[in-house]
Amino acid sequence: MTERRVRVRFAPSPTGALHIGGVRTALYNYLFARQHGGDMIFRIEDTDSNRFVPGAEEYILESFKWLGIPFDEGVSFGGEYGPYRQSERREIYKKYVQILLDGDKAYYAFDTPAELDAKRAEIVNFQYDASTRMQMRNSLTLSKEEVDALIDGGNQYVVRFKIEPNEDVHITDLIRGEVVINSSILDDKVLYKSADGLPTYHLANIVDDHLMEISHVIRGEEWLPSAPLHVLLYRAFGWEDSMPAFAHLPLLLKPEGNGKLSKRDGDRLGFPVFPLEWHDPKSGEVSSGYRESGYLPEAVINFLALLGWNPGNDQEIMSMDELVQLFDLSHCSKSGAKFDYKKGIWFNHEYIMMKPDEEIARLFVPVLKEHGVEEPFEKVVAVAGMMKNRVSFVRELWETCSFFFVAPAEYDEKTVKKRWKEYSAQQMTELAEVLAGIEDFSIENQEKIVMNWIAEKGYHTGDIMNAFRLALVGEGKGPHMFDITAIIGREETIARLEKAIEEL
Ligand code: GLU
């Protein structure tokens, strides 16, 4: 048998913002596809018109653009298996529903909501299945004439899947191994509704996976309970041979305690659960996103890649290309992955350090602007290079290094008490004179001249440097003094010394 071409799909329903778990699912699909030289397809599963949210599809597309996950085919990408939006495939589904009806694998059901409620009241734990279907109003209990008359009369109906009871259904999962469940626990799922002429998720999902020649279904664990039904549908259509391999990814769990990660955890602990900021069109609620919160897309990718998978050693920093090489579905964990958002912050810090100074500077320029600072780009680059290893987010650069751009507005009281001695004003006046005489204001030259001066005068280096720092930075922290002076320049250095002498 020839190897099957790898074709995977990410198939969201446009019901709102894309959850970060969905991003991880898409990422794993992408890594798997690229690793096998296969195709990654973007399909929109929008057959549930009640849950449709305008803007969601665009949001999802923009998210992947930002994250650097490209698709080969699908909505907005084109391809030969289209249309890729399920609402545009009605006629296709109708045909396949008919095939199941004709093959006696499905049946019409006319039970009204009231009738169903009555049955639920009558039978404890009522389930529409082999044990109850013969008590219901459907094409198995009604005559052909009655059925035709009901349909011709414009009565609403659904088509239900006729599940044979007491059969073991085997699902081979690349992560979980063999999962066996008995068909008796399944109900006769609705596959199609005449009310809107649309199939339900299950039918559309299977028909499309088949027609689009999907080889691997990689999706969240929450879809595992649907898998037996999906296997039975493949069988009912006679498509066993082209059934995709399944891989159900572990759930993302709360950072602390038990249970599934929720948006509320994010709100409570202050981290986003969406890739981009989301403005809910109905409620008007705005939810934070990784992009707007200052995360680098590479950091988000790296962080997510390790939620449920690891390369088998303790390597943590991996580029997308490395992930493509190392990723292995069979090394995904079965148990849920704790969403350690602090690790996400750590990744961001690591990626900020790895990024070229120019790139960090470019991200820092708008932050500076917010603070009314506009300075030559080279200066921003120099500061970014010197300070980026101290922050986890670019915007934090302002708190750590505003003194490069503006003189301290005040002096930290404690530091003043400790570092500004009675003789400091005198010493700083002299230092200002020394600095004024330095032509070549490079770090090395300043350091040489100032150190010589200190030695000549017999001053204490600590006294000088501490007071100097206080005058320039306003507190006792910051990088090497001459790194600072070389960047802010002679004029500004002297001006700040004079200001401190006057004010302290
Ligand atoms: N439309 C489903 C979702 O929203 C797709 C599930 C699947 O991948 O089969 O996740």
Side-chain angles (χ1 to χ4, degrees), residues 365-391:
V365 166
V367 180
L368 287 172
K369 251 196 202 132
E370 274 170 37
H371 289 93
V373 173
E374 269 182 76
E375 293 257 19
F377 189 62
E378 304 79 71
K379 178 173 172 182
V380 183
V381 173
V383 173
M386 196 179 299
M387 305 299 282
K388 66 180 184 182
N389 59 348
R390 300 179 186 222
V391 298

Side-chain angles (χ1 to χ4, degrees), residues 222-293:
E222 63 274 26
W223 300 100
L224 186 57
S226 302
L229 174 69
H230 293 178
V231 169
L232 289 175
L233 272 169
Y234 270 96
R235 238 192 260 167
F237 280 117
W239 295 336
E240 293 98 323
D241 291 345
S242 66
M243 188 148 69
F246 290 102
H248 290 93
L249 305 174
L251 282 179
L252 295 186
L253 305 175
K254 294 183 183 309
E256 49 199 37
N258 296 319
K260 227 170 92 181
L261 172 71
S262 74
K263 183 164 147 16
R264 229 176 295 147
D265 299 315
D267 294 343
R268 188 166 50 87
L269 298 166
F271 64 87
V273 297
F274 299 137
L276 314 180
E277 192 170 273
W278 167 251
H279 298 245
D280 191 292
K282 266 191 224 122
S283 66
E285 191 195 348
V286 179
S287 308
S288 66
Y290 278 84
R291 181 177 66 182
E292 290 74 12
S293 301

Side-chain angles (χ1 to χ4, degrees), residues 120-237:
R120 280 188 204 106
E122 182 192 320
I123 302 175
V124 201
N125 296 330
F126 170 77
Q127 177 167 278
Y128 209 123
D129 61 17
S131 71
T132 56
R133 64 169 80 111
M134 295 317 281
Q135 309 169 30
M136 308 300 290
R137 230 151 53 82
N138 54 47
S139 56
L140 303 171
T141 56
L142 302 169
S143 71
K144 171 105 179 52
E145 291 70 37
E146 286 171 303
V147 170
D148 289 345
L150 281 167
I151 293 176
D152 293 345
N155 291 282
Q156 300 294 7
Y157 64 87
V158 297
V159 174
R160 286 184 182 270
F161 190 30
K162 193 170 148 203
I163 292 187
E164 301 303 339
N166 248 320
E167 212 185 296
D168 279 339
V169 186
H170 296 252
I171 304 130
T172 322
D173 187 289
L174 296 175
I175 298 171
R176 284 149 217 279
E178 177 126 312
V179 182
V180 186
I181 85 125
N182 191 280
S183 65
S184 292
I185 68 163
L186 303 173
D187 65 328
D188 288 355
K189 273 274 173 315
V190 171
L191 301 178
Y192 177 86
K193 300 179 266 62
S194 70
D196 56 9
L198 280 168
T200 56
Y201 153 75
H202 301 288
L203 183 97
N205 189 268
I206 293 318
V207 167
D208 286 352
D209 281 352
H210 175 72
L211 295 178
M212 295 177 187
E213 295 182 42
I214 299 303
S215 64
H216 294 76
V217 166
I218 304 168
R219 60 184 174 189
E221 184 180 321
E222 63 274 26
W223 300 100
L224 186 57
S226 302
L229 174 69
H230 293 178
V231 169
L232 289 175
L233 272 169
Y234 270 96
R235 238 192 260 167
F237 280 117

